[in-house]
Amino acid sequence: MSKYKRYERYKDSGVEWIGKIPEEWNVVRLKFLKAKPFLYGANESADIEERDFPRFIRITDIDSNGNLRKDIFKSLPWETAKPYLLKEGDVLFARSGATVGKTFIYKKSLGPACFAGYLIKFEANINKVIPNYVYYFTLSWQYDKWVKQSTIQATIQNVSAEKYGNLFVPLPSIQQQKMIVRYIDQKTAEIDDLIADKEKLIELLQEKRQAIITEAVTKGLNPNVRMKDSGIEWIGEIPEHWEVKPLKRIFKIVNGGTPSSSEESYWNGEIVWVTPNDLSK
């Protein structure tokens, strides 16, 4: 941030969850920045995986980093998808459930795509706002506060197009928006590169960890010990004085289960109830 100086003067935005903004900026509701009305997605079942058809983007297809998952691909026929086809810079807002507030910005490099009913499309008026600026704003802490405030009293979390339209957005000039977007693009690219390097290192360390454990539990700690064939292909050789036994001859194996509603000690936290979701490698 040292490359950029702080603005000389700030003012109260008039919106509690936004706080202060630079003096020359404005605060504008999202509905005044749209080129067309907000659009709800297609209420269609995701049964088709034809890659010659437009991709059918659902909330579950968008990962925590705002990217499309590579392990899932659903599509809709062209005629069905036509009213919901996305254009460069369209921003999708999740409107319901645990992912409410989640956003995604469409790039034409992703190929033809349409969107599902639990998403709302915002098409920016590019004379007023840059789509990427809106998208980056939705990744801010202030936006997160707004989403929580908007859903805190609802039994089922839901943010409608009308609510999104009333979302306040701090708005600098188009030129400043371009500078902000370029800066974020550059910095996030640098961070993504660092993350990729760290992930490679973590992967190598995990492989080394597994190799150390494997060597210790199948070969022992003495490198000079005489070895023999274990008789099991995937184990290979073991120290000559070791044995190989089925697990059932060493441990008592008992299947787990879900406590009944009458067993209150499990449900109120007195007794720890371990499920598969609590386990990790």
Side-chain angles (χ1 to χ4, degrees), residues 113-253:
C114 56
F115 62 106
Y118 285 102
L119 293 166
I120 302 171
K121 185 185 79 169
F122 165 77
E123 183 178 336
N125 180 341
I126 58 174
N127 295 317
K128 296 180 178 180
V129 70
I130 296 172
N132 280 78
Y133 177 81
V134 173
Y135 173 67
Y136 280 140
F137 176 66
T138 67
L139 303 183
S140 69
W141 287 331
Q142 283 84 351
Y143 173 77
D144 189 52
K145 286 181 185 177
W146 175 81
V147 170
K148 289 175 180 175
Q149 286 180 9
S150 298
T151 59
I152 195 167
Q153 293 180 343
T155 304
I156 300 175
Q157 291 182 323
N158 195 318
V159 177
S160 64
E162 183 179 3
K163 278 187 179 179
Y164 278 122
N166 286 319
L167 166 67
F168 283 110
V169 179
L171 198 69
S173 67
I174 289 288
Q175 186 59 36
Q176 288 179 324
Q177 290 177 41
K178 289 179 180 178
M179 291 174 62
I180 290 168
V181 168
R182 281 198 298 268
Y183 172 79
I184 297 175
D185 284 344
Q186 176 191 340
K187 290 300 179 183
T188 53
E190 291 174 2
I191 292 170
D192 288 344
D193 287 343
L194 287 173
I195 291 172
D197 289 341
K198 293 294 184 185
E199 285 177 343
K200 288 178 184 176
L201 178 59
I202 290 170
E203 187 177 343
L204 290 172
L205 290 173
Q206 287 175 334
E207 288 178 3
K208 183 177 181 180
R209 176 179 179 270
Q210 187 174 25
I212 291 171
I213 293 172
T214 300
E215 187 71 16
V217 300
T218 62
K219 311 300 180 190
L221 302 178
N222 183 358
N224 301 315
V225 71
R226 293 181 64 178
M227 308 293 287
K228 69 178 181 182
D229 186 356
S230 66
I232 299 174
E233 183 181 356
W234 53 269
I235 291 181
E237 290 190 332
I238 59 174
E240 192 175 47
H241 58 287
W242 284 25
E243 295 181 72
V244 177
K245 292 184 178 181
L247 192 63
K248 64 183 179 181
R249 295 186 181 177
I250 306 172
F251 293 98
K252 180 181 179 181
I253 300 175

Side-chain angles (χ1 to χ4, degrees), residues 273-281:
W273 175 27
V274 179
T275 72
N277 291 331
D278 299 314
L279 307 179
S280 63
K281 289 186 177 181

